[in-house]
Amino acid sequence: MSSTAEFRFEGGRDGVLLIHGLTGTPTEMRILGKGLNRAGFTVVGVRLAGHCGTEEDLLATTWEDWYASVEAAAEELRGRVDRVFVAGLSMGALLALRLAAVRPDWVDGVGVFGATFRYDGWSIPWTGRFSFMLPMFKRLGIGKNRVFIEQPPYGIRDERLRAQVSAAMFSGDSEAAGLPGNPWDALAEMVELSRDVRRRLPDVVAPCFVAHAADDDVASVANADLVARRVRGPIEMLLLGDSYHMITIDRERRMLIERTADFFSRVARDARPARMAA
């Protein structure tokens, strides 16, 4: 499986690990990564296990494999920088929060972008309300070859960008735009991950920058509110009014870059003395 979608931008002694979403690709985090690098950060975009390949590649992995990818990338990054920040989009936001909960001594701050504990946005069909049953279906072998095909607007408010991304997605270029649908068994893993992270939210003590589209088509603002209520670290919220779910590439991406860089810079400035690099 190709890993060319991963990226690394060398910068200063504060590092940021960026995590893409389910069936997504590091490409959806690249613009954000470049912006943070221009602000002085060393940035790594991880490719989650099973992603950027075929549907079979994805189905051969579990949420524990996806999280292991994050922990391995974080461990490598923290060996090269003084402080580590972690940020993710959609499912990537959950993985970022899990890292902060499980490895509090590794993570100095978290970017929580379009957090998706439940697929409850306005574009999700009514059947999405029954996603909690998918783990049981998986255990029973029901729907093994079923896929939820993504529906317009594909998380993108900008119509020109939406056309480009959907064309790449349905062309089979999974490294550039991810898979065009979510296999039921992969969504079952996502449900299990969501349950795990929800329980762990009170263990998150690092400062969190929670950004969400007010009109998110995939995951309602209730997902962001859940994070704000349950984590124990300081919270800063940003609601974006001219974007859909994919806020790292949609119309307000520059604002997201500026606010994320500012938040992480302030946390780094106010933090305890920098650790010695491992």
Side-chain angles (χ1 to χ4, degrees):
M1 189 189 307
S2 171
S3 61
T4 56
E6 292 181 334
F7 58 84
R8 175 181 294 177
F9 305 133
E10 296 296 338
R13 298 294 300 176
D14 292 323
V16 183
L17 177 65
L18 297 178
I19 311 166
H20 63 83
L22 178 62
T23 71
T25 155
T27 302
E28 66 202 33
M29 308 302 286
R30 182 176 286 268
I31 296 172
L32 174 63
K34 285 185 174 178
L36 293 173
N37 181 242
R38 281 194 298 271
F41 294 92
T42 290
V43 181
V44 171
V46 64
R47 177 182 61 83
L48 299 177
H51 288 71
C52 299
T54 65
E55 194 176 296
E56 290 70 29
D57 293 328
L58 179 64
L59 291 173
T61 58
T62 65
W63 73 259
E64 290 96 340
D65 297 321
W66 308 337
Y67 174 71
S69 302
V70 171
E71 195 161 287
E75 186 167 27
E76 195 276 334
L77 177 60
R78 70 190 293 264
R80 298 188 295 112
V81 297
D82 294 332
R83 274 178 285 268
V84 171
F85 298 91
V86 59
L89 174 67
S90 194
M91 182 186 79
L94 274 59
L95 292 169
L97 288 163
R98 191 176 200 276
L99 182 70
V102 174
R103 301 286 191 181
D105 55 324
W106 288 16
V107 176
D108 289 272
V110 189
V112 183
F113 305 147
T116 306
F117 289 88
R118 292 182 60 195
Y119 289 97
D120 59 355
W122 56 262
S123 76
I124 302 297
W126 65 270
T127 50
R129 283 180 243 158
F130 296 97
S131 61
F132 69 93
M133 298 177 69
L134 288 170
M136 181 181 70
F137 287 177
K138 183 174 182 179
R139 286 191 292 273
L140 296 173
I142 298 171
K144 191 165 183 62
N145 300 312
R146 298 291 294 275
V147 175
F148 281 115
I149 298 298
E150 290 206 34
Q151 301 295 318
Y154 309 114
I156 303 171
R157 191 164 193 145
D158 185 300
E159 292 175 1
R160 191 168 65 174
L161 180 62
R162 183 193 309 160
Q164 294 170 356
V165 169
S166 62
M169 199 162 55
F170 288 101
S171 74
D173 187 359
S174 65
E175 191 169 294
L179 294 172
N182 289 310
W184 279 24
D185 280 5
L187 285 169
E189 294 294 324
M190 169 72 182
V191 171
E192 298 281 25
L193 171 65
S194 172
R195 290 171 179 165
D196 178 90
V197 175
R198 189 186 295 252
R199 288 193 299 268
R200 293 179 187 272
L201 286 176
D203 297 330
V204 178
V205 294
C208 293
F209 177 50
V210 181
H212 212 95
D215 202 19
D216 194 312
D217 58 315
V218 173
S220 77
V221 175
N223 289 271
D225 292 339
L226 172 68
V227 175
R229 284 198 318 272
R230 299 287 302 280
V231 300
R232 288 194 295 128
I235 289 287
E236 189 168 303
M237 293 276 289
L238 172 65
L239 276 184
L240 296 165
D242 195 26
S243 301
Y244 288 157
H245 185 62
M246 303 291 290
I247 59 176
T248 56
I249 62 173
D250 214 344
R251 288 177 177 166
E252 292 161 298
R253 59 187 180 273
R254 288 184 185 86
M255 184 192 301
L256 182 69
I257 291 168
E258 290 168 8
R259 290 287 298 272
T260 303
D262 177 66
F263 182 82
F264 287 165
S265 295
R266 280 186 281 119
V267 171
R269 190 172 62 238
D270 299 340
R272 62 193 181 280
R275 291 187 298 264
M276 294 295 291

